[in-house]
Amino acid sequence: MEEGMEEDSYDEVADDHNHNKWEAAERSALPGAIARYPEREEEPVHHLVHRTSSLYGLCSAEPSGDPSVASKGGINMNSSASKFLMNVMTREDYKSTYWPKLERAIDQLLTQSPVDYIPISYEQIYSCVYKCVCQQHSELMYNDLIWKISTHLEHVSDELRCTPPESLIENFNSALTRYMAALQSIVPIFIYMNKFYIETKLNRDLRDDLIQLFTHHVAEKHVDTLMPLLLKAHSTPFQITPSTMASIVKGLYTLRPDWVKLAPVLFSNFIPQIHPPARESELLIYAAQDQKLQRELAQNGFARGDQSRKRAGDELAYNGSSPSCPTSRGCR
């Protein structure tokens, strides 16, 4: 009876439910557990990919039944599945999906008032920049950014050109302040592009490039009209507020330091140490200028007063005495 049972088990091994034939020489070497649970046939790769893609909704059609396609390993998937598997951002993807998000954020930052707050998802915008840089779209994104800001600044310049002279100082200061405030957010958003493209390949800095845009498109077109107005306003008290004057003078110096030559006295009133250091041979010239200033102040009614008399209490303080002890040199 034992011999009959062994022959039955060998028959099961020899022909299992998958009809896998085993050699007679290998029957005695196979354990009974492996004989009862034979190996599962390996699933074709294109079936596995199709099943995975269908699970995520990436593939809308069944695998092709064409034997020629199957033999070549072809997969009948739509473009979304291909991009999901390949993880590639095309130029069309950048233009239609990623750049519009960046463009809307830039518009908001350039047009908002410095005192206003517009909620922007900086995490989402930074993620877009990061993906575009990783997908080798840095140059395209940089050119789009420069074009976008240049177009905005041309519009700002046209508005200033239509501004009457009495309002040009205030409007120019407002445009400059708003733009500088926008750079405080735009530059950090594109910091990844700045680090791995502008600094590495162009040997420049994004902030410097954007400041040069305002200089070229706005400031250089209006500085010849603006400077005489600033000199006139500086000589007329309370024509504009001191804070506005200081803001616009410092802003012009940031844009182009060589504009100091246009009005050195005006710039020196708000920016320290812009003049070269004094030399010993020029001390007499400085003394003469101070004396001239004192004479002009005296002619305009600013009297110096009696400089020989000391203020009340100076003598007592110097001698160490107090009003309560006039005869003593000091009280303890």
Side-chain angles (χ1 to χ4, degrees):
M1 181 174 295
E2 294 180 357
E3 292 178 357
M5 293 177 63
E6 291 178 0
E7 290 178 358
D8 294 340
S9 62
Y10 289 152
D11 292 338
E12 293 177 1
V13 173
D15 189 5
D16 58 14
H17 66 280
N18 288 328
H19 303 287
N20 294 322
K21 302 296 182 179
W22 299 86
E23 295 294 337
E26 297 177 351
R27 295 178 180 177
S28 58
L30 291 175
I34 299 180
R36 295 188 183 92
Y37 301 98
E39 273 192 71
R40 181 180 177 182
E41 185 177 356
E42 184 177 359
E43 185 176 3
V45 176
H46 64 277
H47 289 173
L48 178 61
V49 174
H50 169 71
R51 188 155 51 83
T52 305
S53 303
S54 301
L55 178 62
Y56 291 96
L58 299 176
C59 184
S60 57
E62 294 294 329
S64 175
D66 189 356
S68 62
V69 176
S71 62
K72 297 179 181 179
I75 302 173
N76 185 17
M77 295 191 302
N78 57 19
S79 59
S80 299
S82 300
K83 283 183 282 187
F84 173 79
L85 295 175
M86 299 299 294
N87 194 23
V88 173
M89 180 197 302
T90 64
R91 187 184 183 93
E92 290 73 19
D93 293 334
Y94 166 81
K95 286 292 187 182
S96 62
T97 304
Y98 291 90
W99 173 245
K101 295 179 181 179
L102 298 174
E103 188 176 20
R104 287 192 296 268
I106 294 170
D107 277 331
Q108 292 180 349
L109 294 173
L110 289 175
T111 56
Q112 72 178 1
S113 174
V115 297
D116 295 337
Y117 172 74
I118 300 178
I120 298 176
S121 176
Y122 287 94
E123 181 180 1
Q124 182 182 13
I125 300 303
Y126 181 83
S127 177
C128 288
V129 174
Y130 176 82
K131 292 177 181 178
C132 293
V133 173
C134 292
Q135 295 293 331
Q136 306 299 319
H137 294 298
S138 299
E139 182 179 1
L140 181 61
M141 182 168 53
Y142 174 76
N143 293 333
D144 287 341
L145 175 64
I146 296 299
W147 172 83
K148 178 63 181 179
I149 296 182
S150 299
T151 304
H152 169 77
L153 293 178
E154 286 292 341
H155 180 68
V156 172
S157 181
D158 293 339
E159 291 182 346
L160 292 176
R161 190 178 294 110
C162 301
T163 302
E166 59 272 14
S167 302
L168 181 60
I169 294 178
E170 293 285 350
N171 291 353
F172 184 90
N173 180 66
S174 176
L176 178 59
T177 303
R178 180 177 300 177
Y179 184 75
M180 290 300 182
L183 293 190
Q184 299 297 324
S185 298
I186 294 176
V187 173
I189 286 176
F190 291 90
I191 190 173
Y192 202 76
M193 181 187 69
N194 184 44
K195 181 177 181 181
F196 290 95
Y197 175 71
I198 302 177
E199 293 181 354
T200 304
K201 295 187 178 181
L202 304 182
N203 295 322
R204 297 201 302 266
D205 182 75
L206 177 60
R207 179 177 175 83
D208 295 340
D209 287 357
L210 299 184
I211 289 178
Q212 288 299 320
L213 288 181
F214 190 92
T215 304
H216 175 70
H217 292 284
V218 180
E220 290 180 349
K221 297 180 180 180
H222 300 279
V223 66
D224 293 335
T225 306
L226 186 64
M227 198 58 65
L229 296 175
L230 290 174
L231 293 173
K232 180 181 178 181
H234 184 62
S235 60
T236 305
F238 306 108
Q239 182 172 348
I240 62 174
T241 60
S243 60
T244 300
M245 179 66 73
S247 175
I248 196 170
V249 170
K250 293 179 180 179
L252 291 174
Y253 182 76
T254 301
L255 298 177
R256 286 271 300 273
D258 59 334
W259 279 341
V260 172
K261 301 176 182 178
L262 300 178
V265 177
L266 174 64
F267 280 86
S268 63
N269 290 332
F270 298 96
I271 302 174
Q273 300 180 355
I274 62 172
H275 292 303
R279 292 178 292 182
E280 185 178 358
S281 59
E282 298 176 347
L283 292 179
L284 295 178
I285 299 177
Y286 297 147
Q289 292 177 352
D290 291 340
Q291 292 175 1
K292 179 182 177 181
L293 177 61
Q294 292 175 5
R295 288 194 300 268
E296 291 177 353
L297 292 175
Q299 292 174 0
N300 293 328
F302 293 92
R304 295 180 59 188
D306 188 2
Q307 298 295 320
S308 61
R309 297 183 60 184
K310 297 181 179 180
R311 293 178 298 176
D314 284 353
E315 184 68 23
L316 295 176
Y318 177 77
N319 292 329
S321 51
S322 62
S324 60
C325 304
T327 58
S328 62
R329 297 185 60 87
C331 297
R332 297 184 181 276

